[in-house]
Amino acid sequence: MKTKYYLFLTTLSLFLSGRLFAEGEEEVLLPPSDQSFWQTLVMIGIAFLFFYVILWRPEQKRRKALEEQRGALKKGDRVAAMGILGSVIRVGEQTVILKMYDGTKLEFYKAAITDVLPEADENSKKIDENNKKSEITEE
């Protein structure tokens, strides 16, 4: 039984391999190898250009703008550091000390600052100061 099975598989493999390597019956048209190489290079170039324009360049611009904001920090700026809002009290070489709403002071690395918030206009600052004074007098 094993010999018949072995003979069948051998015959089948020879038949299939003969079909694969048969010459003259059917010719398969393949593109020249040089042409497919250039097509591959063009596709890789297009992919690289896509990633540069869509991903890398906007990220570089965003990172550069954030670095400029971090470098221009000064006392009194409102910033967000890892989701914590505060006002800058002191700017060090690598760190910044922020004062929170309740008076707590925290020290952060400059790299942890995620956003520099726009300053509120004078009217809203005065309203906030008046609200704080009224809260203190009510207590």
Side-chain angles (χ1 to χ4, degrees):
M1 183 73 173
K2 288 183 179 180
T3 57
K4 287 182 182 179
Y5 182 69
Y6 178 74
L7 185 61
F8 174 73
L9 287 177
T10 307
T11 309
L12 184 62
S13 65
L14 287 173
F15 176 71
L16 291 176
S17 65
R19 280 268 200 200
L20 291 174
F21 299 110
E23 293 182 18
E25 293 178 8
E26 295 179 24
E27 289 190 28
V28 179
L29 298 176
L30 296 174
S33 63
D34 187 38
Q35 183 180 3
S36 65
F37 175 72
W38 284 106
Q39 286 177 344
T40 303
L41 283 180
V42 168
M43 292 304 290
I44 290 172
I46 290 171
F48 180 74
L49 183 67
F50 173 78
F51 281 113
Y52 179 78
V53 170
I54 300 299
L55 298 174
W56 292 327
R57 184 67 182 144
E59 179 62 22
Q60 286 176 345
K61 285 183 178 180
R62 186 192 66 79
R63 191 176 299 148
K64 184 177 179 181
L66 190 57
E67 286 297 323
E68 288 175 2
Q69 285 181 340
R70 289 176 183 159
L73 283 176
K74 61 186 180 299
K75 185 176 179 179
D77 284 346
R78 299 254 318 144
V79 297
M82 300 185 304
I84 300 172
L85 301 175
S87 298
V88 176
I89 293 179
R90 188 174 68 197
V91 179
E93 195 171 308
Q94 293 183 351
T95 61
V96 174
I97 297 179
L98 301 180
K99 183 176 182 181
M100 305 306 126
Y101 178 74
D102 62 351
T104 307
K105 295 178 183 177
L106 296 174
E107 185 173 9
F108 290 97
Y109 282 111
K110 283 185 179 180
I113 294 176
T114 54
D115 196 13
V116 177
L117 304 173
E119 291 186 25
D121 58 12
E122 291 300 319
N123 290 334
S124 64
K125 284 183 181 178
K126 289 179 183 177
I127 292 171
D128 288 341
E129 289 175 9
N130 290 337
N131 288 340
K132 287 180 187 176
K133 287 179 184 176
S134 65
E135 288 176 1
I136 292 171
T137 56
E138 289 176 1
E139 293 176 0

